[in-house]
Amino acid sequence: MHDVMPPSVDHVVLSVEDVWVRFDKLQAVRGVTFSLQRGELLGLIGPNGAGKTTLLRTMCGLQRPASGVVKILGNPLRSESIDGFDHVGFTPDTPPMYPNLTVRQFLRFIGQGYGLSRNETDERIGFWLQKVWLSEKADAKIKGLSRGMRQRIGIARALLPNPHVIILDEPAAGLDPAGRVQFRRLLCDLRDQGKALIVSSHILADMEDYCTHIGMMSAGRMLQIGTVHEVSRSTLAAGRVCYEIRLARVPNHLAATLEEIEGVAAVKIDQDRVSLEYDADLRSASALLASLVEKKVPVASFAPQASGLEQAYLRSGIGQVD
């Protein structure tokens, strides 16, 4: 698996170079290196405490690394200088806001911080509130809005300066199913505009729809990074696939029966559902099904699984996604 995405000098927007972050004796981020080009969207996954949020905060200048460097458009991001910060939009998992302000007042305050004129700020507020489905709440006080609406305001706040790099930490938290669909469309639109995006999320099924790349973190390290296709298939040997089998009933000694079939591996049984790894070609699939029938396993349905992030994550053995 690739440790570093191969960069193109002309199109690299964000580069993270051997970044380490320490808190006293805790090593939160350990030697992370990768780069993102225009139009790439990296989904960051891993268990609670993996270092994802610390890495995100480091990439937007809120956390100083112990060593290593983050570059935006080829220029180092330094906490002692404001240069480059207007190129990065960041939304934490719980966006900080002033609850007694209206949505419009809050975003105008943010626009002033970026040095935008009142007219330009108002134009952008109208545009982004429409994109995050909050136009009708522009003059509502923030304290009266739901968590999902506050998440949307946080996204609009991150997008207001029209940054080159957009970093979102658990942005789908609190969104209802319709909101998640709209959010996926927004991310795809931003990606197609040539933005470089990083999204940390535990909703792995959604990430397959909008990510171009996936990074798996554990214990501060980036264990895997690559395209969605590469990561989805990374823990399967070449020419192997997972099969899902539905049984009409569960026979006695099922696990032992399945393990007797040569070439079968990674057997998992969940009541009347079985998954296992076997060779991927059609002849092998036919032979596997014949062996199951010969051993009187009552197969009701039998099909190879499409490799997915959830399956890849479970096979990686990293741990539960937070």
Side-chain angles (χ1 to χ4, degrees):
M1 202 61 239
H2 303 300
D3 290 327
V4 184
M5 297 177 197
S8 167
V9 174
D10 293 335
H11 300 289
V12 170
V13 181
L14 168 73
S15 60
V16 177
E17 302 174 5
D18 195 25
V19 166
W20 294 72
V21 181
R22 299 184 184 89
F23 298 108
D24 295 327
K25 295 182 179 180
L26 174 65
Q27 193 74 65
V29 176
R30 301 167 181 262
V32 171
T33 296
F34 67 91
S35 64
L36 279 183
Q37 300 180 23
R38 296 188 183 100
E40 291 184 336
L41 198 166
L42 173 67
L44 198 59
I45 62 178
N48 198 15
K52 303 187 301 298
T53 294
T54 300
L55 178 61
L56 296 182
R57 288 174 56 84
T58 304
M59 287 187 288
C60 62
L62 295 176
Q63 175 63 52
R64 180 180 294 181
S67 61
V69 64
V70 175
K71 293 180 180 178
I72 307 294
L73 300 175
N75 300 311
L77 195 63
R78 304 188 187 281
S79 57
E80 63 271 16
S81 170
I82 63 171
D83 293 340
F85 285 94
D86 56 346
H87 296 308
V88 183
F90 173 60
T91 298
D93 57 351
T94 305
M97 297 175 190
Y98 295 104
N100 289 320
L101 295 182
T102 67
V103 175
R104 192 188 310 276
Q105 288 169 339
F106 172 68
L107 293 177
R108 278 177 175 168
F109 170 73
I110 298 299
Q112 284 181 319
Y114 282 105
L116 301 176
S117 69
R118 179 66 170 266
N119 288 340
E120 187 176 13
T121 298
D122 284 348
E123 183 179 345
R124 293 189 184 192
I125 288 172
F127 178 81
W128 288 118
L129 287 184
Q130 183 180 20
K131 287 291 187 181
V132 298
W133 336 287
L134 280 179
S135 295
E136 74 283 2
K137 297 294 184 181
D139 296 309
K141 286 196 173 183
I142 292 173
K143 65 182 178 182
L145 301 181
S146 68
R147 184 188 178 196
M149 290 181 181
R150 294 188 186 204
Q151 289 294 118
R152 298 183 202 179
I153 297 169
I155 295 169
R157 177 252 176 272
L159 298 174
L160 197 65
N162 194 25
H164 293 282
V165 178
I166 300 164
I167 299 174
L168 307 175
D169 193 1
E170 295 292 351
L175 296 183
D176 59 25
R180 282 169 51 190
V181 171
Q182 293 169 319
F183 174 66
R184 292 199 298 270
R185 290 174 182 165
L186 174 62
L187 290 179
C188 291
D189 184 42
L190 292 168
R191 184 193 65 200
D192 294 343
Q193 290 176 27
K195 306 291 187 184
L197 300 100
I198 301 178
V199 176
S200 170
S201 177
H202 66 280
I203 308 174
L204 272 60
D206 285 2
M207 297 177 88
E208 291 185 80
D209 292 336
Y210 57 76
C211 291
T212 63
H213 294 75
I214 293 292
M216 288 189 185
M217 287 192 71
S218 181
R221 297 189 183 280
M222 190 74 79
L223 298 186
Q224 291 182 320
I225 193 164
T227 66
V228 172
H229 178 74
E230 288 171 339
V231 173
S232 294
R233 301 193 64 87
S234 62
T235 55
L236 282 173
R240 304 277 287 182
V241 72
C242 285
Y243 288 88
E244 185 170 291
I245 304 164
R246 185 79 181 269
L247 305 178
R249 59 179 176 79
V250 181
N252 295 328
H253 312 298
L254 176 61
T257 299
L258 295 173
E259 289 169 0
E260 288 174 358
I261 301 174
E262 186 176 356
V264 165
V267 174
K268 294 181 182 177
I269 301 171
D270 182 8
Q271 298 182 5
D272 63 348
R273 295 180 183 272
V274 176
S275 68
L276 53 83
E277 291 182 14
Y278 198 72
D279 292 340
D281 61 274
L282 293 178
R283 287 187 179 182
S284 296
S286 177
L288 173 60
L289 182 57
S291 296
L292 292 171
V293 172
E294 181 184 353
K295 292 181 178 295
K296 302 188 183 329
V297 177
V299 177
S301 64
F302 172 93
Q305 289 180 332
S307 295
L309 290 180
E310 290 182 342
Q311 290 297 320
Y313 188 87
L314 292 172
R315 291 195 303 268
S316 73
I318 293 175
Q320 184 172 347
V321 177
D322 57 340

